[in-house]
Amino acid sequence: MKRLLLPLVLISFSVICLSIVHIDNVNKLESQSIELRKKHKTKVYLDDRIENTTSVDAIKTK
């Protein structure tokens, strides 16, 4: 039993550490994803506004 205790403790410790690191990385990716979505929505919204104003201006000039 004593021979089995050290490997079991080491494996358990490594699994716990890797889980913590994985959760931290997932949280970082989620925050980056939210930030990119906000930027993309803003860019798409601005592009749509530019396209709509140019098409309205083109219709007015015709």
Side-chain angles (χ1 to χ4, degrees):
M1 182 72 181
K2 195 174 183 179
R3 285 176 61 185
L4 192 62
L5 186 65
L6 182 63
L8 196 64
V9 168
L10 289 175
I11 290 172
S12 300
F13 179 74
S14 65
V15 166
I16 290 170
C17 288
L18 287 173
S19 298
I20 291 171
V21 169
H22 176 71
I23 290 171
D24 187 48
N25 285 340
V26 167
N27 287 337
K28 285 179 184 177
L29 284 174
E30 181 67 26
S31 65
Q32 287 176 350
S33 173
I34 290 170
E35 190 176 318
L36 284 174
R37 281 187 193 144
K38 286 180 183 177
K39 285 182 183 179
H40 183 70
K41 279 185 180 178
T42 304
K43 184 176 184 275
V44 168
Y45 176 72
L46 289 176
D47 288 346
D48 285 345
R49 284 191 63 191
I50 290 171
E51 287 177 10
N52 288 339
T53 45
T54 54
S55 63
V56 169
D57 290 340
I59 292 170
K60 284 181 183 176
T61 56
K62 286 184 180 180

